[in-house]
Amino acid sequence: MRVLIVEDDLALGLFLQKGLISEGHEVEWIGDGEAALARLQSDPPELMLLDLSLPKKDGTEVLEAMLGRCNGMAVMVLTGRNDVEVRVRYLNLGADDCMLKPFSFYELRARCRALLRRRE
């Protein structure tokens, strides 16, 4: 599976990238929302892991801008914001799932597989 990680935290981005590559996935990591939108113009991945607090354009702007343009791509929002209203907002904007930080890599991996199974 091709995965795009959009995360500005260097340590978390590298951790996710390394973990998903070790699972056999093709993984690209981008650190800001503007670069993510540019990347999504060409060849959208099957799954995007999207942080909400990003430089240049935040995760909300990325999600709103790609709404309806990247059909077939699953979106998992990664957030430290634990308000239910916030998570519901992102699900309503088009995210397929939300995970609260900090999270277990094993749970993230299982949720990603579930998202892709549903899309197939």
Side-chain angles (χ1 to χ4, degrees), residues 26-41:
E26 183 182 320
V27 182
E28 184 177 355
W29 171 48
I30 293 177
D32 70 76
E34 200 171 90
L37 285 174
R39 169 61 183 80
L40 291 170
Q41 295 293 323

Side-chain angles (χ1 to χ4, degrees), residues 93-114:
L93 280 174
D96 296 287
D97 198 359
C98 292
M99 286 196 70
L100 289 174
K101 294 178 183 178
F103 51 82
S104 158
F105 181 75
Y106 299 110
E107 181 181 0
L108 174 81
R109 189 175 63 189
R111 285 183 184 218
C112 290
R113 282 190 204 125

Side-chain angles (χ1 to χ4, degrees), residues 80-99:
R81 303 173 193 170
N82 63 0
D83 298 342
V84 171
E85 294 82 16
V86 170
R87 293 192 309 272
V88 168
R89 177 176 179 221
Y90 293 105
L91 291 168
N92 287 334
L93 280 174
D96 296 287
D97 198 359
C98 292
M99 286 196 70

Side-chain angles (χ1 to χ4, degrees), residues 7-52:
E7 169 63 61
D8 66 325
D9 182 302
L10 176 64
L12 181 56
L14 291 173
F15 171 76
L16 292 172
Q17 185 177 39
K18 182 179 178 182
L20 291 170
I21 287 172
S22 74
E23 295 284 318
H25 305 294
E26 183 182 320
V27 182
E28 184 177 355
W29 171 48
I30 293 177
D32 70 76
E34 200 171 90
L37 285 174
R39 169 61 183 80
L40 291 170
Q41 295 293 323
S42 58
D43 185 25
E46 296 160 278
L47 173 66
M48 177 170 61
L49 302 179
L50 178 64
D51 181 31
L52 296 179

Side-chain angles (χ1 to χ4, degrees), residues 60-83:
T60 305
E61 292 175 286
V62 172
L63 202 52
E64 289 173 339
M66 54 158 277
L67 201 62
R69 291 186 5 220
C70 297
N71 295 330
M73 180 180 72
V75 178
M76 169 83 67
V77 168
L78 306 176
T79 182
R81 303 173 193 170
N82 63 0
D83 298 342

